[in-house]
Amino acid sequence: MASKKAIVLVLAMVVILGGIALTTEWNELGTDVYYDETVPEEGIPFHPENGELAENSINYQLFENYGGLLLVLGILMFGAMVAGICISREEADSDD
């Protein structure tokens, strides 16, 4: 019974991940990124001065444009960690 639920969950996650990958605008990736050739002497500021992220920053690109994709990947990775822990506990119990 649990394996059927796991299969349904995995299929649902694959469908969601595929839907996000298909609806993401991949053609525009990296076209509007312009960087200065020099880095300021004080370094690159962590916080933006006007309170908003620049659209060409990696933070904006990752979390604003690909947030859904990262969320699904994070859930999949969490599931993989939990599954690894469960498998290692089962092997430890059967070793006795």
Side-chain angles (χ1 to χ4, degrees):
M1 183 73 165
S3 64
K4 289 182 182 179
K5 289 181 183 179
I7 291 172
V8 170
L9 181 64
V10 167
L11 289 176
M13 295 294 282
V14 168
V15 168
I16 291 171
L17 184 64
I20 291 172
L22 290 175
T23 57
T24 302
E25 297 177 12
W26 297 104
N27 295 337
E28 300 294 323
L29 185 62
T31 56
D32 293 336
V33 179
Y34 301 106
Y35 296 104
D36 294 332
E37 293 186 16
T38 60
V39 176
E41 290 181 14
E42 65 273 359
I44 299 172
F46 182 72
H47 297 288
E49 292 180 12
N50 61 359
E52 294 183 8
L53 290 172
E55 290 187 10
N56 63 349
S57 68
I58 193 163
N59 297 336
Y60 184 86
Q61 293 295 323
L62 281 178
F63 296 111
E64 294 292 329
N65 293 338
Y66 306 108
L69 189 62
L70 286 176
L71 179 64
V72 172
L73 288 174
I75 292 171
L76 285 173
M77 293 304 292
F78 178 74
M81 289 187 323
V82 170
I85 292 170
C86 291
I87 290 171
S88 68
R89 284 186 180 174
E90 287 177 5
E91 288 178 359
D93 291 341
S94 65
D95 287 341
D96 294 336

